[in-house]
Every structure is written in C-alpha cells, then in structure tokens.
Amino acid sequence: MRVQGLWFIFFFWVTEGGDSFLRRNDGIRTRRGLTVNKKKHPDPVQEYELLLQVAYRDSKEKRELRNVLDLLKPPSLWLHGPMKIIRAKATTYCSNQNGFLRCACEDGYSWFPPPCLDPHKCYLHKAGSLQSCDCHLSNFTQSVNFCERTKVWGTFKINERFTKDLLNSSSAVYSKYTTGIEIQLKETYKRIEGFESVRVTQFRDGSITVGYEVVGSSSTSELLSAIEQVAEKAKEGLQTLFPLEDDSFRVFREVQCNSIVFGFGFKNDEYTLPCSSGYTGNITAKCQPSGWQVVRETCVLAQLEELKKNFSVIASNATEAAVSSVVRNLSVIIQQNPSATAGNLGSVVSILGNVSSLSLASHFRVSNSTMEDVISIADHILNSTSVTNWTVLLQEENHVSSQLLKTLENISVLVPPAALPLNFSREFINWKGIPVSESQRKTGYSYQTDMFPPNTSIPIRGRVLIGSDQFQGSLPETIISMASLTLGNILPITKIGNAQVNGPVISTVIQNYSLNDVVLSFSKIESNMRQPHCVFWDFSHLQWNDAGCHLVNETPEMVTCQCTHLTSFSMLMSPFVPPAVIPVVKWITFLGLGISIGSLMLCLIIEALFWKEVKKNQTSHTRHICMVNIDLCLLIADVWFIVATTVDTTVNPSGVCIAAVFLTYFFYLSLFFWMLMLGILLAYRIILVFHHVTMTLMMAVGFCLGYGCPLIISVITIVVTQSRNGYKKKGTCWLNWSDGSKPLLPLAVPALTIVAVNLVVVLLVLTKLWRPAVGERLSQDHKATIVRMGKSLLILTPLLGLTWGFGIGIMVDSQSLAWHVIFALLNAFQGFFILCFGILLDRKLRHLLFNKLSPLSCLKQPSKQNSSELFAIPKSVSPLQHKGIYAFSHTGESSNDIRLTQFLSTEQTTKSRKKFSGAS
C-alpha cells in the first residue's frame, strides 16, 4: 500500500527578512509555504520555517528520507544573504485509506489547537491515547496545521505602562523585552529534562501581559509539572529585570487558539494588532473553536490612502484626463501590491464609487483604456481567494458589494458608442459592450459567457436573450453586459428561504430604455441544489427580489428565467427540497383541500340538523361544541390557504397577501387549540369520572383557549415581524422562516406541543381500553378489545390532530419524498377523515341520519361502539357476578352507555347504592 504525505519542517538562519502584512495575514489561515516567525534576535538574523511534503512507500524509504534531510543544503529562495539549515524534523505522517487521508503524529509530537490539518474539513479521531486526523480527499486541498513538539504556555504581568511599540516586532522596545525575558526563562528551564526552547509569543494591554511558549520533547504532563516546580525561580529571575505583579505568573497545558501572528488565547478572547509596515489601521481576531478568526480588519495600503486624498483634492475642478489618471494609478498600485485585505477592498470600492459619481455628474466619457483598467481592478478584487476578506468587510459595511456592482454599471454606460464594441474577458469577470444598430430590429440581442469556478474545468455558462420585438421603437445607444461568479458570493445572503446563489450574476444595462421581455439562462454551479428562484438585485432594498421574474424551465444542468425588466440577474436555489416533491405534493394538497372543504361543510350541516338531540347531556354537548369549532376553524383555514396560494404577489397589493397569511395563520392556530380543548375534555372524563364542572365554566375555558390564545399569538407575531418586513415569505403568501424573527415558529411550536399533549391523551384512552374491565376474566379473548382500540384510534387521530406530528419527519429529513407525501395526504384530507370517523362512526348521529334519510328499519342497526362513548361495557358482562362493591352511572340512552366504577370504601358504597337505585 502506498503511504502518502510526510511533512518536514526546516529552520533557516538568514541575515535579511521582513514581516510584511501579506505574510502576517497568511499566518492566520495557513502555514503552507514560507512563513515568518515574529521572533526577533539581537543580531540581524531571522528564523523561517519551510514546510515540505514528501511521499514514501514503506518504512525503508522513510528512513532514507530522514538521512537525505540531514544532507540538504538551503534552497535558492527569494531571501538574500547567507543561509543555513539548523535542523530538520519529520512531524506528521499520513496514509490514504479508501478515499480518506488519515494523519497521525510522529513520536514526541502532538496535535495542538487548532487540531488536524484543516479544522474546517477534517476531524480528530480518538482511539484511546492515539489521535489521528481524518480528511476526505475530495474536500481536502492543502495542509494547514501539523503535529508539533509538546507545548505548554505561560503568562505573567509586568507592572509597567503598555506601549504600542510592544505590538511591533521590529521596534527596539519589543526586542528589549523579548530578549531579556527569553534569556532569563531559558536559563531557568534549561535544566528541565526534555526542554528545547522558549519564546515570547505576545504582549497584551493591561499593564504589560506577557505570553510565552515552552517547547519540549517530554510529555505535556511531565513538562508542565517541571515548569511549575521551578516557577518561583523563574519569577525571581524575571523580577531582576522587570517589576512583576503579584500572583500573575501562570502556566497552561491547553489553549483554545494558537498562531504565529496572534499568539495563544482562550474562548472568545479578542486581540487587536496594528497593521504591518506600509499599512494603516488595525486587525482584530477572536478565538473561536476553529482557531483565531479575523472579525474586524481596516488595513489599508498607505498608497491607496494617499490616492484617495489626492482624488478629493482634484474633485472640485477635475477633468476627464485627471479621472482617467486616477483609475490608471489605482490599477498600478493594485498590480504592485496584490494583497486584497478587507481594508483595501473597501478603499478600492470607495475610490471607484467616487470616480463613478464625479463622471456622471460632470458628464465625462470613459475611454477604452480606462474601462479596461476598471475591469482589471474589478477582476483583482473579485478574486475568489478574496471572499473571506469580503466577508470580514461586509460585517462592518453590508452595502459595499452592492455599491461595487452599481459602480461598475454606472461606469460602463459612460463608454461612448464610438468606442464600442469592446470585450474584456478576465478570470473573475467578463465585460462586453456593443453599439446598437438597425440589426437589432431583426436579430435582437444575445450575450453569452463561459466562466470557470476554482479547481474545475467545467464552464459555468450564462446567457441573455432579448427578442427583436423589443427593439421596434426608438433604439438605445449601447448595450452593456457583464458577468461574475464571485459577485454571487459577496452580495448579501438572500432572504428567500434557505436559498443561495447557484449561478453567475449577469448584469445587462441599456440606459434610458425599457423592455418587457428578457430571457436568461444560467448553468448550475451545484447541480444537486433544487427549487430555483429567478431573481434580480434590488439596489433600493439591498437584497434579491423576484418581482417581475419567473421560472421558465429547469434541467439537471440549466435554469431558464424570464423577466420583464433589466438589471443584475441570477438564480437562487435551495439545497433542501427535492424537485420531485413539488408537483406531487401540490396535486395532493389541492385535491385534499377540495375534498376536505366539502366534507367539513357536510359535517356542519349534520351537526346543525341534529343539534337538539346531541346536546341532551353535558358530555355529548361539550364534545360536539368542540367538534363544531374544529370543523369551522379547519374549513375557514383551508379556504384562506387556497386564497393565499392563488394571490399573485407581483400584481396584487401586499395588504391582500398579508391579510390572507394572517387569517390562515389565526384559524390554523385556533384549530390546534380547539383540538387541545377536546383532548383535555376527554382526559377529564376518563380521570375524573364523578367530578362535575358547570357547563358555563367549561365553555368559557373552551372559547378563551380556542380563540383567545390564538388571537394573542397571531397579533403579537404580526406586530413584531411586519414592522421589519419579515412577516411573510418573500414572493409567496405564507409565513417567513428565513429571517431572524422566524414568524413561523409561533405556529409550529404550539402545534407540535398540542400534538404531543393529545398523543398522551390517546395513549391514556388506549391503556384504559386494554385493561380488562371489572368482572371480565383476565384470560378472555382480546379480539374485541383490539377492535375497540382500533376504532378509537381512527376516531381520535383526526379529531386530536395527531397527523400533524408527521411534520417532524419533514423537518428532520426534508429530502425524503415519502415524508412530504404522507404529511400532505394525512393533513390535506383531515376534513374528510373527520366526516368519516368523527361523524359517520358516531352511532347516535348515524342512527339519526339514517332515520332522516330512510324509513327502512334495516338501516337502523346500532353499532357496537360509539365515537361519543369510547368506554362502553359489553352487554354480556354481569357486574354482579364477582365479589366487591359496585356503582353504575347512566350516561346515555342505552345500556351500552353505562359506566362502571368499583368502590373500595364503605362511604363510597352507600353513595353508589343510592346512585344505582336512582339510575334504575
């Protein structure tokens, strides 16, 4: 088996070297290539480490590689001056096992935070004391972290004033402190077995908090214990150099974060450093589980700052030549200094924005060369490797990516028709401009581009088609189109569901010209994503919007959209919902709702016809009141649901849609609370058989619970979320789920809670039915009991809303077609199930209904079980054939309605006899 991937680390002593911002920034994320330690020595010597990956096949080759390393000479690098290798060490070995890269540490080395080669794409596997790092080869592209010698960390405080020079590794103050501390600690620790080195890693504000790192070849526990034993000696030595604060000397065996740039830290620590030489501003990192993460960064190249100031000076009396010169200088600066820091990105967008505004206001034209410079600048800042820095920038200025897109469009329309056609194709942006001629009246307009995502050879295509019928009136001067893949990653995340941009962003600009039919085609970047939304970038609201755009066709590779206007377009797709679900579920939903609405109207008619008969006793009366309200709420909710789905959000005013959403929300919520009331009533009748509550009190509780609670929840939800335009889902008439407020939660949480409560009630009913009644033999055939339980389950499941519990399956596994179909079938047809099992299985209602419809006595056969009485006693059982004291209570019009309770006290016996004699 071929074993792949050893990482060897070389250390060089060189006479020259610097600490530029680029290397500092790279050190946050990666240790590949050549990285610079912050360590500064008294003489002009700088230490570098070079990471080298070498493959071997067996242990023999591994030994030979070690021998070769000892004979290596320094390579010819960009470093100037004499160099030598002081040592080489193998730290990490890896093997390819069935598509997994499994890496472990050599003897004497360990994983330190952040663990694994890449904490975002790999995971640490622990088997006893052994630790290995497993990575999917398909996801893993480059090594980031490696095994290292045993480390422990320490801190102490110097009671002196902190100065910013301590953050600059090139300053004399920094050198003075680090040299003195390292010499003193090395003198103390050199007698510790396994000790190798100690270095100062950081200075923090708050007096002067010093952080240092000790490296050794012994185990962590042994090294930590030895350092703690000589702690007093170390403090005494340091106090000869600096005034230490009492009890500030501490050592740690583990830290959450550790890097060359930011040193070590613990969870949620924040550390701010000044930018490197040549830059203004600061960079702030926060310690998170994956290591130090940059959260704020304002590092701007000094040359960019100077150019920005110069432009503000010439703005009052600028000329076209002066503006072109600014753009040229900006392009040169970026080419000479390719570091795309967040601060640089913001400054470049700001300068281009100022150029655009000034040119539009002064009616300047843009030459071919200036436009080419603009596209080159845009290509640089839209480099896919800059997305991380864009993310940092957008946390502080969430509109800056939208400003870039608008600026590029504004500058593009300033190119005169005489300078066109032009076509600039770059790696991250494509730009094309044409002059409009009479040929457009016959052929229309077509723009197509092919772009390649990083590390792929498959092109992502985008196409714009404008028919010749759109150019029959007066013609525009120019048509400009451009496309970029990176823009989709940096424009603010959509509010339409869980979707994300899954194709190129294509912008087509025709100045002072309106169209009503544009066809766009997009290749899918991720082919496994579903549910495409055709959208345009809405500059006024800084978000994606689908107004005026609709989906025409979708294939496994392409999506075709049609829009009624021009601007910047793309498509949003969801990684969750499978496409096969949508037409199936839609068909089931509308069929089921139609049948349910008819069934519920029939239920209410039957209840109205026989209301006098069903309210003769309190139990039946309260149950049917609950059922009528359940039917009514479900009927109204279903009707408004259909209304909401048919509302055209692009034509109708938003008030109609919001009203439909609110009423659907309120009546579905009322449905659940009335189902809860029915469950409570059933549990009350089972547990408290002889307890009596007045009809007035019971109905007051029922209507407060059934309509009062839903009204309060609904009103609070719309008041809180509508003020931020987060009540309804964008583009549809239903509650939003994608925003932070998530107004769908106040429906989902009560609904699932009520389903859980009613499930407990059903289990209680089934338990009562399963236990043998008093007087029955334990060994009797359970067939009749099982039949009763089955009928009860059929009756209670739709009435108590248990079918809505299948919504949990959709939440857990939204890709499954089965869950979506089951949920739609059971709940769209809920009204039909209520008619069948809640009305037609009710013996009394069926008896009255058949009496009304037919004089034939053969249709009057009573059922063995009534939905209004789930606990009937079989006629064959004689309650007096066993010893004990019994009582009967008459609750209906037949012997099937007699409830039986056994009493065990003398006092209860007397009461039961009286009740029995009265009932007879």
Side-chain angles (χ1 to χ4, degrees):
M1 180 178 94
R2 181 177 178 81
V3 182
Q4 182 185 10
L6 264 174
W7 281 269
F8 299 98
I9 303 178
F10 302 92
F11 292 90
F12 301 95
W13 292 101
V14 297
T15 57
E16 292 182 18
D19 193 7
S20 74
F21 179 84
L22 178 60
R23 289 192 296 273
R24 174 188 292 274
N25 201 31
D26 285 347
I28 298 166
R29 302 187 305 273
T30 176
R31 295 177 60 192
R32 67 186 183 276
L34 195 64
T35 55
V36 182
N37 273 330
K38 291 176 65 179
K39 184 174 181 179
K40 191 77 175 179
H41 298 271
D43 52 347
V45 175
Q46 184 68 49
E47 180 182 311
Y48 293 86
E49 64 179 26
L50 175 66
L51 308 175
L52 178 65
Q53 178 177 322
V54 185
Y56 60 84
R57 288 174 293 192
D58 50 38
S59 57
K60 181 182 178 182
E61 284 194 7
K62 182 178 178 181
R63 287 193 300 271
E64 291 174 352
L65 282 171
R66 286 182 178 276
N67 295 331
V68 170
L69 288 174
D70 295 333
L71 303 176
L72 281 180
K73 294 182 179 180
S76 298
L77 299 175
W78 53 270
L79 300 171
H80 304 287
M83 295 178 291
K84 70 174 182 178
I85 298 175
I86 59 172
R87 64 181 176 272
K89 55 186 180 181
T91 67
T92 313
Y93 64 93
C94 304
S95 62
N96 186 346
Q97 300 179 0
N98 300 323
F100 274 88
L101 187 68
R102 172 161 289 185
C103 300
C105 298
E106 289 277 17
D107 293 340
Y109 294 89
S110 303
W111 294 109
F112 285 95
C116 279
L117 302 178
D118 186 336
H120 299 287
K121 299 177 181 178
C122 308
Y123 65 94
L124 197 62
H125 177 74
K126 296 182 180 181
S129 59
L130 299 176
Q131 294 183 336
S132 64
C133 181
D134 293 350
C135 310
H136 282 284
L137 283 175
S138 58
N139 297 333
F140 186 69
T141 56
Q142 59 191 0
S143 309
V144 176
N145 306 298
F146 304 91
C147 300
E148 301 179 59
R149 278 294 197 193
T150 299
K151 291 182 181 181
V152 295
W153 295 268
T155 60
F156 60 88
K157 290 185 178 181
I158 299 175
N159 197 11
E160 292 180 356
R161 186 179 177 183
F162 183 88
T163 65
K164 289 186 177 181
D165 287 337
L166 289 171
L167 300 176
N168 181 6
S169 60
S170 301
S171 70
V173 175
Y174 183 93
S175 179
K176 169 194 167 185
Y177 276 86
T178 54
T179 303
I181 293 168
E182 287 176 0
I183 291 174
Q184 188 59 53
L185 289 177
K186 191 177 293 184
E187 183 66 26
T188 304
Y189 295 153
K190 67 181 181 180
R191 295 178 181 83
I192 295 176
E193 184 178 355
F195 168 76
E196 289 188 358
S197 64
V198 61
R199 70 183 184 94
V200 174
T201 61
Q202 64 212 38
F203 292 101
R204 302 280 196 263
D205 199 354
S207 299
I208 299 177
T209 302
V210 182
Y212 64 93
E213 176 185 274
V214 182
V215 179
S217 58
S218 57
S219 69
T220 304
S221 299
E222 291 171 347
L223 184 60
L224 182 66
S225 176
I227 290 175
E228 288 174 340
Q229 290 175 12
V230 297
E232 288 299 324
K233 187 176 180 181
K235 284 189 283 185
E236 291 174 2
L238 290 169
Q239 282 176 335
T240 62
L241 302 175
F242 311 104
L244 300 188
E245 287 191 8
D246 295 337
D247 301 323
S248 66
F249 203 90
R250 292 182 175 84
V251 289
F252 312 94
R253 71 178 295 142
E254 290 183 355
V255 293
Q256 182 83 31
C257 302
N258 187 34
S259 78
I260 293 174
V261 176
F262 292 104
F264 63 87
F266 300 90
K267 185 178 181 181
N268 295 327
D269 282 356
E270 283 196 5
Y271 185 32
T272 299
L273 284 174
C275 301
S276 296
S277 177
Y279 289 81
T280 62
N282 298 301
I283 180 170
T284 301
K286 187 174 184 179
C287 183
Q288 296 178 349
S290 57
W292 289 109
Q293 298 294 321
V294 177
V295 292
R296 286 183 300 279
E297 186 252 275
T298 57
C299 296
V300 181
L301 197 65
Q303 293 169 278
L304 285 178
E305 283 288 300
E306 188 68 22
L307 183 64
K308 198 172 180 179
K309 291 178 182 177
N310 292 340
F311 183 82
S312 62
V313 171
I314 67 169
S316 57
N317 55 357
T319 62
E320 284 188 11
V323 171
S324 296
S325 176
V326 169
V327 175
R328 175 96 282 268
N329 291 337
L330 178 59
S331 178
V332 171
I333 291 171
I334 285 178
Q335 289 173 10
Q336 293 176 346
N337 302 273
S339 176
T341 67
N344 280 353
L345 293 173
S347 291
V348 170
V349 173
S350 177
I351 293 171
L352 287 178
N354 292 337
V355 167
S356 169
S357 299
L358 179 61
S359 298
L360 286 171
S362 304
H363 303 288
F364 291 160
R365 287 294 190 175
V366 173
S367 66
N368 296 15
S369 59
T370 301
M371 193 66 235
E372 186 173 8
D373 285 337
V374 170
I375 297 304
S376 296
I377 294 167
D379 183 64
H380 172 80
I381 63 178
L382 290 174
N383 191 306
S384 59
T385 60
S386 303
V387 171
T388 302
N389 290 328
W390 274 105
T391 303
V392 175
L393 177 62
L394 289 167
Q395 291 176 359
E396 299 296 319
E397 303 177 54
N398 60 5
H399 65 282
V400 68
S401 56
S402 179
Q403 182 185 345
L404 171 63
L405 179 58
K406 188 65 176 177
T407 296
L408 292 176
E409 291 184 357
N410 289 341
I411 294 177
S412 296
V413 299
L414 297 177
V415 179
L420 300 176
L422 286 176
N423 192 347
F424 303 117
S425 183
R426 301 290 187 267
E427 185 177 0
F428 302 102
I429 188 171
N430 181 283
W431 188 95
K432 179 183 178 181
I434 65 165
V436 178
S437 65
E438 288 295 324
S439 63
Q440 266 67 53
R441 297 188 189 275
K442 298 179 181 179
T443 62
Y445 172 76
S446 175
Y447 167 74
Q448 181 169 325
T449 181
D450 290 354
M451 310 197 77
F452 295 86
N455 304 317
T456 64
S457 58
I458 302 174
I460 299 298
R461 293 187 169 90
R463 189 178 185 188
V464 179
L465 290 174
I466 303 175
S468 58
D469 59 312
Q470 302 298 307
F471 297 102
Q472 297 309 306
S474 59
L475 294 175
E477 290 186 338
T478 62
I479 302 178
I480 309 294
S481 291
M482 55 185 166
S484 172
L485 293 178
T486 312
L487 275 170
N489 295 324
I490 66 175
L491 288 169
I493 295 175
T494 174
K495 293 185 177 181
I496 301 182
N498 247 331
Q500 62 190 59
V501 175
N502 193 33
V505 175
I506 301 177
S507 177
T508 298
V509 184
I510 306 179
Q511 194 174 26
N512 302 322
Y513 199 79
S514 61
L515 301 174
N516 54 34
D517 189 14
V518 182
V519 178
L520 305 108
S521 297
F522 305 94
S523 288
K524 297 178 182 177
I525 298 175
E526 298 290 341
S527 59
N528 60 342
M529 299 180 72
R530 301 291 182 262
Q531 261 193 316
H533 296 269
C534 300
V535 292
F536 71 94
W537 182 251
D538 186 345
F539 287 103
S540 59
H541 295 94
L542 299 178
Q543 65 181 24
W544 293 106
N545 194 335
D546 59 358
C549 293
H550 66 273
L551 178 67
V552 175
N553 186 42
E554 179 189 9
T555 67
E557 294 81 24
M558 296 286 293
V559 169
T560 303
C561 301
Q562 191 169 17
C563 297
T564 59
H565 51 81
L566 275 179
T567 182
S568 300
F569 299 95
S570 191
M571 62 169 174
L572 305 174
M573 298 187 73
S574 169
F576 299 110
V577 183
V581 167
I582 301 169
V584 176
V585 172
K586 190 175 181 180
W587 183 83
I588 292 172
T589 299
F590 282 102
L591 177 65
L593 289 178
I595 294 174
S596 284
I597 289 172
S599 301
L600 291 168
M601 293 175 67
L602 192 56
C603 288
L604 293 173
I605 291 171
I606 293 172
E607 291 280 7
L609 286 174
F610 307 114
W611 187 250
K612 290 184 179 180
E613 286 77 6
V614 300
K615 69 172 190 176
K616 286 186 177 179
N617 65 73
Q618 184 176 332
T619 302
S620 176
H621 190 191
T622 53
R623 184 177 70 87
H624 280 279
I625 287 176
C626 290
M627 286 185 61
V628 166
N629 282 281
I630 288 172
D631 296 344
L632 188 63
C633 291
L634 182 56
L635 174 63
I636 299 174
D638 286 348
V639 170
W640 276 107
F641 183 86
I642 291 176
V643 171
T645 57
T646 57
V647 171
D648 187 350
T649 56
T650 63
V651 177
N652 289 285
S654 60
V656 176
C657 184
I658 292 173
V661 173
F662 178 82
L663 291 170
T664 306
Y665 180 21
F666 170 72
F667 281 106
Y668 271 127
L669 205 53
S670 296
L671 166 69
F672 283 105
F673 276 94
W674 274 109
M675 290 189 295
L676 174 64
M677 183 62 193
L678 184 61
I680 293 172
L681 179 65
L682 182 56
Y684 165 72
R685 289 300 182 189
I686 293 172
I687 298 170
L688 303 172
V689 178
F690 295 108
H691 188 270
H692 180 71
V693 176
T694 63
M695 187 70 182
T696 304
L697 177 60
M698 193 170 293
M699 286 302 95
V701 172
F703 279 90
C704 287
L705 190 65
Y707 293 113
C709 291
L711 183 62
I712 293 171
I713 295 173
S714 301
V715 171
I716 291 175
T717 301
I718 192 171
V719 168
V720 171
T721 59
Q722 181 57 27
S723 59
R724 293 176 290 182
N725 294 321
Y727 183 62
K728 73 178 188 69
K729 189 176 179 181
K730 192 73 175 177
T732 60
C733 285
W734 186 233
L735 296 169
N736 203 349
W737 178 253
S738 60
D739 291 342
S741 54
K742 296 188 183 298
L744 188 59
L745 272 179
L747 174 63
V749 172
L752 292 177
T753 303
I754 289 169
V755 168
V757 172
N758 283 351
L759 180 61
V760 174
V761 173
V762 171
L763 293 176
L764 179 63
V765 171
L766 296 180
T767 303
K768 289 286 185 180
L769 289 174
W770 180 253
R771 289 193 316 193
V774 177
E776 290 182 333
R777 292 188 301 272
L778 293 174
S779 61
Q780 79 165 45
D781 185 7
H782 291 299
K783 183 178 179 180
T785 303
I786 293 173
V787 171
R788 288 202 305 272
M789 291 174 65
K791 287 184 177 180
S792 300
L793 197 58
L794 282 175
I795 294 167
L796 294 178
T797 297
L799 286 176
L800 298 184
L802 301 189
T803 54
W804 291 88
F806 285 94
I808 297 174
I810 296 176
M811 296 166 65
V812 173
D813 184 14
S814 61
Q815 290 286 339
S816 173
L817 174 63
W819 283 120
H820 286 276
V821 171
I822 290 171
F823 183 80
L825 278 171
L826 293 178
N827 295 299
F829 286 88
Q830 186 180 5
F832 176 70
F833 296 144
I834 289 175
L835 173 66
C836 292
F837 305 130
I839 299 294
L840 299 182
L841 273 187
D842 188 310
R843 182 193 56 79
K844 184 185 293 185
L845 281 178
R846 191 172 65 254
H847 184 76
L848 292 169
L849 186 61
F850 287 171
N851 262 345
K852 191 95 173 172
L853 297 178
S854 175
L856 300 175
S857 59
C858 62
L859 296 178
K860 301 179 185 178
Q861 299 297 324
S863 171
K864 291 183 179 179
Q865 186 179 12
N866 183 0
S867 66
S868 63
E869 182 51 70
L870 296 172
F871 306 106
I873 301 173
K875 292 182 180 179
S876 60
V877 178
S878 171
L880 303 178
Q881 62 182 333
H882 293 279
K883 293 180 180 180
I885 305 167
Y886 301 93
F888 296 99
S889 61
H890 189 269
T891 60
E893 297 182 355
S894 71
S895 60
N896 281 353
D897 291 326
I898 296 176
R899 292 184 181 273
L900 178 63
T901 305
Q902 182 175 13
F903 295 95
L904 300 178
S905 69
T906 306
E907 182 181 355
Q908 288 173 323
T909 305
T910 305
K911 293 179 180 179
S912 65
R913 284 174 177 168
K914 289 179 180 179
K915 194 167 186 178
F916 175 74
S917 60
S920 61

